[in-house]
Amino acid sequence: MISTYLLLCRLLPLGVILALTLAACTPSAAPSPQTAAQLTPAARGLAEGEKLRVVATTSIVADGVAQVGGDAIDLVTLLPLGADPHAYTPTPQDLRTLNQADVIFINGLGLEEALMPVLGTLDSAAPVIEVNAAVTPLAMDGVQEGHAHGAGDPHTWFDVANVILWTGTIRDELSRLDPAHASGYAAAAKRYAATLTELDAEIRARIDTLPQERRKLVSDHAEFNYFAHAYGFEVIGAVIPALSTMAEPSAQQLAALHDQIAAAGAPAIFVGTTVNPRLEEQLAQDLGIEVVTLYTASLSPADGPAATYVDLMRHTVESIVAALGRHPYRAPG
Ligand SMILES: [Zn+2]
């Protein structure tokens, strides 16, 4: 080989030698290196026994994907448990994970606002799928609006009917990328949707035990619009009066909320595990009411009370019904 190469060097112009050398190193059927880096295994076609590499942003989105994908997919949850999905920014390891994915499932509707700019600059061509694609979002004031009117409220999972819609979106995308497992994805999605239908009925039966006049929600930010809309609660207000945690309330806004809570006779402020509860504790102390911690934007660890989405909803409903039910009822005003 070496002698042949040296002989070629004497006989041929430099450009021809370079072209021959490159041709010898590069299998003719392979795409160019740039294209290869952009082609995910799903786009090339999965090899026998190769699993679809799936990334989901929040633990709540990941649970929905896991229920449909089961053992057929390799699933990585990007956000650690307890991370605030509004504020989370990716680590260098996250970027490697995202670049190796065949598909990326996000909540969307602006929830992952600090992560979104990065998803637009990935090397990989993996599709980014909103699990909420089929959901009709609510506006800030809890009124239904179409997707066309802007992002809307991202906290869709507090209405179980929306998560039933997720299962169809997840099933369709996994089946498109991995048709060999399509019947498995369809069966799992159907089973999980049935579980969620039962969960919704269970939630309604539990909430029926709480008198209508006690169904008053105060939260750390505006995250209970879907819950209130679906299950018949009134949203009194939020410490951060916005759909995102990435804002600070003014002293004026806090004073107004103080008066709204007092006027409504709401006995508790519900605070997610993903936020610092300092302002909520101060306000509750001033009003002589309770702070109740809920898993609102993240699942709990596996040994906690909200290890799955179904458990998160049960825990949320139990905590809300218990807190609003246990205090002597204070009439509004
Ligand atoms: Zn939120």
Side-chain angles (χ1 to χ4, degrees), residues 86 155 221 243:
H86 299 286
H155 306 92
H221 69 294
L243 295 171

Side-chain angles (χ1 to χ4, degrees), residues 1 43 46 50 68 123 159 161 167 194 207-208 212 237 242 290 316 322:
M1 272 306 284
L46 291 174
E50 187 181 9
V68 177
D123 299 332
D159 178 351
T167 63
I207 288 170
D208 274 350
Q212 183 65 51
E290 194 182 357
T316 300

